[in-house]
Amino acid sequence: MKGLSVLAEAVQASTTLAIDAMYKKMQAEGINVIGFGAGEPDFDTPDNIKEMGMRAIEENKTRYTPTPGVIELREAICNRMKDDCGIESTPDQVVVSNGGKLVLYASLKALINPGDEVILPAPYWVSYYELIKMVGGIPVVVQTKQEAEFKITPEQLKEVITKNTKALILNNPSNPTGMVYGKEDLQLIADVCAEEDLYVIADEMYYGLLYDNKPFTSFVSLGEKVKERTILINGVSKSYAMTGWRIGYAIAPVVIAKVMSNYLSHAASAPASISQWAAVEALNGPQNGIEVMRQAFEERRNYLYERMNKIDKVSCIKPEGAFYIMMNLDEIIGTTLHGVKINSSDDFAKEFLEKGLVAVVPCTGFGAPNFVRWSYATSMENIKEGLNRLEKFLA
Ligand code: GLU
C-alpha cells in the first residue's frame, strides 16, 4: 500500500488532551487520581448562556449559518473587543469557527506557504508547533529565559528573522508560562514586526484572566500599523467556561478574514448554530460571572505558588495571568525517584501519575523540557491534595 501523507504522519498527538484522556480513564476505573492536565475551567457555563442555547434550539435556530458566523455574533464580538480591549473592528473582519484551534489553523493556512518560517517563543502552547508544521511551515523556536519572565525580547526576535520569516505567534497571557506582556514590551515587538514586514498571530484567549490588578493591553490596540498585519485570536471557552461549546474567533484585516472564511467554507462550514447563539449571550449579557471566576483563580494561584516554592527540589515563578503554573524540575531531572531514573519531564509526569496519582502535563512538547505544567482551573480542595501528594511523592 502507498504511504500516508508525510505532513500528517509527522503530527504528534496533543499532550494536553492525551493527559486529560489518561486522567479521565483512570477516574472512570475508580482510581482516586487528581487532574491538573487540560486547562479548562471547573466552573459550569453560566445559566443565562445555557438558557440562550436552549432557546436557540426551541426557536429552530438550528440551520446552517454564514461560514464566519451569524452577524449578531460578529457584532457582539466587535462590541466586546471595543469595550474590553479598545479594538475598533467591523463584522467583515471577524471569523468565528469551532474553537480557537481551528481559527488558528485557518489563520496559518491564510498566511503560510510551504517553507515559510514562523517564529515561536518557547515555552509555547503545544498545538502552535504542530499547527505550523501542519500547514507546511517551519517553526523557528526562540528560547526565552526564566530571568526574563519567559518573554521574547526585541533583540531575540531580530536575531532569528531571515528572508523566509513570515510570521510571529505571540500568546499573551501565555499558556503555559502565565506571563503577561505589558504595553511597552508589546510596542517594541510591534516595531520590529513592522520594520521586518512580519505578520503577527496574537493569541489573547486568556485576556480576561489577569491577576494583581495588572492591566491588559491587546496587541491590536497598538494602532493601525499593527492592526494591518495582525490576526487576533480569541474565544469564549476560557472566560465564560464554554470549552465544550467550541467557539473561537479571529479579528483580521478584511482580505485575510475573507481567505480564512473561504478556506473554512470547505473545511468546516460554520460552527454549531446553537453554540453561536449561546456565545452572543456570553458576550452581550452580564459580565460579572467572569470576575467571580477570575478571583477564584487568583486565590488558587496564590496558594499554589506559595506552597510549591516551599517544597524541596521544585520551584516556580508567579504567573500573572491565564491558569497555568510551570514547575521547575532542574533539581530532579537526572536523579532517581522511587527506583526510576527521571531523564525528562515526561518520565516525571508518568511516575507522578502512576505512583503519586496526580496528572500534570510534561512541557517537553511545549519547548520547556525541564518543566511540568499544572492547570489551576480546578478546586482549591484538589490543589491542596495535589500538593500533599507532591510532597509525599518527593519525600
Ligand atoms: N488549551 C487548553 C490547554 O492547553 C485545553 C487543551 C487543549 O486544547 O490543548 O490545556
Side-chain angles (χ1 to χ4, degrees), residues 14 16-17 37-39 101 125 175 206 238 324 373:
S14 158
T16 48
L17 299 185
K101 279 180 188 173
W125 175 47
N175 170 9
Y206 298 90
K238 314 293 182 183
Y324 305 105
R373 188 193 79 173

Side-chain angles (χ1 to χ4, degrees), residues 199-215:
Y199 287 102
V200 179
I201 297 182
D203 182 348
E204 300 180 353
M205 188 62 82
Y206 298 90
Y207 85 99
L209 298 173
L210 268 73
Y211 311 119
D212 306 319
N213 299 316
K214 203 170 165 101

Side-chain angles (χ1 to χ4, degrees), residues 21-313:
M22 223 171 341
Y23 152 73
K24 285 181 178 146
K25 183 168 173 278
M26 286 171 80
Q27 232 188 4
E29 285 165 1
I31 301 169
N32 174 12
V33 59
I34 306 182
F36 296 90
E40 84 173 327
D42 54 322
F43 297 98
D44 291 326
T45 304
D47 286 343
N48 61 317
I49 300 175
K50 289 196 283 200
E51 277 154 22
M52 185 58 138
M54 290 187 267
R55 201 164 349 130
I57 297 176
E58 276 159 16
E59 291 175 3
N60 294 310
K61 290 175 167 162
T62 52
R63 298 197 162 84
Y64 290 137
T65 75
T67 299
V70 293
I71 184 73
E72 290 83 347
L73 177 52
R74 285 179 288 138
E75 277 168 359
I77 288 167
C78 294
N79 294 336
R80 176 65 33 225
M81 285 296 102
K82 170 134 179 42
D83 287 357
D84 289 358
C85 303
I87 297 170
E88 296 284 354
S89 61
T90 50
D92 55 352
Q93 291 179 260
V94 179
V95 180
V96 184
S97 197
N98 300 264
K101 279 180 188 173
L102 196 57
V103 182
L104 265 166
Y105 183 59
S107 312
L108 286 162
K109 271 285 181 196
L111 299 181
I112 303 304
N113 288 312
D116 283 348
E117 294 171 3
V118 181
I119 299 173
L120 188 56
Y124 47 79
W125 175 47
V126 62
S127 292
Y128 297 135
Y129 191 88
E130 298 300 323
L131 285 165
I132 296 169
K133 287 194 317 189
M134 280 161 68
V135 301
I138 300 170
V140 175
V141 173
V142 177
Q143 208 60 55
T144 64
K145 298 198 173 72
Q146 183 162 317
E147 309 83 81
E149 297 179 324
F150 295 118
K151 291 178 196 165
I152 189 170
T153 63
E155 293 74 28
Q156 281 184 309
L157 178 58
K158 271 191 211 155
E159 256 169 46
V160 293
I161 295 172
T162 71
K163 64 177 186 349
N164 296 326
T165 311
K166 193 69 168 286
L168 161 74
I169 297 187
L170 196 69
N171 180 208
N172 186 37
S174 157
N175 170 9
T177 70
M179 291 301 128
V180 175
Y181 288 84
K183 191 170 180 176
E184 278 104 69
D185 304 327
L186 292 176
Q187 189 60 61
L188 294 173
I189 291 171
D191 292 344
V192 177
C193 294
E195 261 164 47
E196 303 286 344
D197 190 19
L198 303 190
Y199 287 102
V200 179
I201 297 182
D203 182 348
E204 300 180 353
M205 188 62 82
Y206 298 90
Y207 85 99
L209 298 173
L210 268 73
Y211 311 119
D212 306 319
N213 299 316
K214 203 170 165 101
F216 175 73
T217 304
S218 169
F219 198 72
V220 186
S221 71
L222 295 177
E224 285 309 311
K225 274 224 158 82
V226 175
K227 219 163 138 185
E228 68 191 23
R229 58 181 66 257
T230 304
I231 304 180
L232 171 76
I233 308 289
N234 216 320
V236 296
S237 293
K238 314 293 182 183
S239 300
Y240 301 96
M242 291 179 72
T243 46
W245 297 80
R246 310 309 303 136
I247 294 289
Y249 59 85
I251 300 184
V254 176
V255 220
I256 299 180
K258 185 100 182 48
V259 174
M260 288 172 66
S261 180
N262 289 347
Y263 187 84
L264 288 165
S265 73
H266 297 288
S269 298
S273 56
I274 299 148
S275 298
Q276 290 189 53
W277 287 105
V280 170
E281 173 62 19
L283 297 162
N284 286 347
Q287 300 293 301
N288 40 353
I290 300 185
E291 181 52 19
V292 174
M293 290 192 261
R294 197 202 60 76
Q295 279 176 15
F297 290 137
E298 180 156 357
E299 208 182 300
R300 296 166 185 183
R301 174 208 63 161
N302 292 344
Y303 181 86
L304 191 52
Y305 163 73
E306 269 157 38
R307 215 178 130 195
M308 194 175 277
N309 278 314
K310 286 190 187 128
I311 298 175
D312 246 11
K313 301 192 202 123

Side-chain angles (χ1 to χ4, degrees), residues 345-393:
S345 59
D346 297 85
D347 292 344
F348 178 87
K350 185 168 175 286
E351 288 305 305
F352 195 27
L353 180 59
E354 284 171 7
K355 306 210 173 98
L357 297 180
V358 175
V360 293
V361 180
C363 289
T364 322
F366 289 67
N370 281 16
F371 291 83
V372 288
R373 188 193 79 173
W374 295 58
S375 157
Y376 50 88
T378 185
S379 69
M380 191 62 121
E381 197 191 337
N382 279 346
I383 293 171
K384 287 182 179 165
E385 179 55 19
L387 289 165
N388 291 345
R389 291 183 188 188
L390 176 67
E391 273 176 348
K392 230 168 107 193
F393 181 70

